[in-house]
């Protein structure tokens, strides 16, 4: 019987696609039409390579913001907006607590509230830096969670099973009593290595074998 549900954050509870958080800012500044959308996916991959290489050292807010600044600059340069990268990156870093920068996945709060109401312990297991607790607060997600395991703060990143073990210990549950929801192979692999059942989630509906709605988590637990 499950007693706890663990969640990844990026592209699980918060949508990371730039069209949802960066494009509105570009439109406000009259820059959206200048962006080369054909290069977006390549730019996103390059930006995340930069982030993944550096985020584990971002154990304080002061250390994390430069990592995000480089992420933003890499992304903006990749879509042909390099001359505006410094200005926009500076704005995003100064406003990192603005919930508009972190669009929620549809149904996130409703599903978390329902799980909480059913008595499940809720935890976060996410490859993220020291900004994560503040981001959860800014988006209104923080009150739902009993424990947050951010990779930079616990010293292990998915697919390393240690980050799951930290979360399980924090929640006081055994591996078989937890279900993890995430969007990547690292979620599945790390959870499996820790003995935790996992559900693959895809909010963009690209993978026909994944859940496309967070409400599917409720249905899985009822099965």
């Amino acid at each position: 019987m499950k007693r706890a549900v663990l969640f990844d954050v990026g592209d699980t509870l918060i949508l990371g696609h730039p069209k949802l958080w960066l494009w509105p800012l570009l439109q406000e500044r009259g820059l959206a039409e200048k962006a080369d959308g054909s290069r977006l996916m390549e730019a996103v991959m390059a930006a995340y390579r930069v982030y993944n290489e550096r985020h584990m050292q971002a154990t304080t807010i002061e250390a994390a913001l430069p990592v995000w600044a480089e992420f933003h600059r890499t992304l903006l340069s990749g879509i042909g907006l390099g001359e505006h990268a410094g200005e926009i990156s500076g704005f995003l870093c100064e406003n990192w607590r603005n919930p508009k920068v972190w669009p929620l996945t549809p149904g996130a709060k409703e599903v978390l509230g329902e799980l909480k109401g059913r008595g499940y312990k809720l935890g976060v297991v996410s490859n993220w830096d020291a900004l994560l607790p503040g981001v959860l607060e800014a988006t209104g997600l923080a009150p739902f969670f009993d424990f947050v395991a951010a990779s930079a703060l616990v010293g292990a990143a998915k697919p390393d099973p240690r980050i799951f073990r930290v979360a399980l210990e924090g929640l006081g549950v055994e591996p078989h009593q937890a279900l993890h929801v995430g969007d990547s192979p690292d979620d599945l692999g790390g959870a499996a290595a820790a003995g935790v059942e996992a559900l693959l989630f895809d909010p963009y509906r690209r993978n026909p074998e994944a859940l496309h709605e967070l409400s599917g988590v409720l249905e899985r637990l009822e099965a």
Side-chain angles (χ1 to χ4, degrees), residues 31 34-37 39 43 74-85:
L31 296 172
K34 297 181 180 180
D36 186 349
R39 295 163 55 188
T74 302
L75 175 57
L76 288 158
S77 296
I79 57 175
L81 296 178
E83 63 182 306
H84 305 282

Side-chain angles (χ1 to χ4, degrees), residues 8 51-57 125-129 149-166 184-187 189-191 193:
D8 175 45
Y51 182 82
N52 290 334
E53 289 171 0
R54 296 188 55 192
H55 90 278
M56 288 296 285
Q57 287 72 50
V125 177
S126 189
N127 287 357
W128 206 296
D129 56 85
S151 54
L153 300 181
V154 305
K158 296 177 291 187
D160 190 329
R162 289 180 295 169
I163 189 171
F164 287 92
R165 292 174 185 143
V166 168
S184 75
D186 286 347
D187 286 290

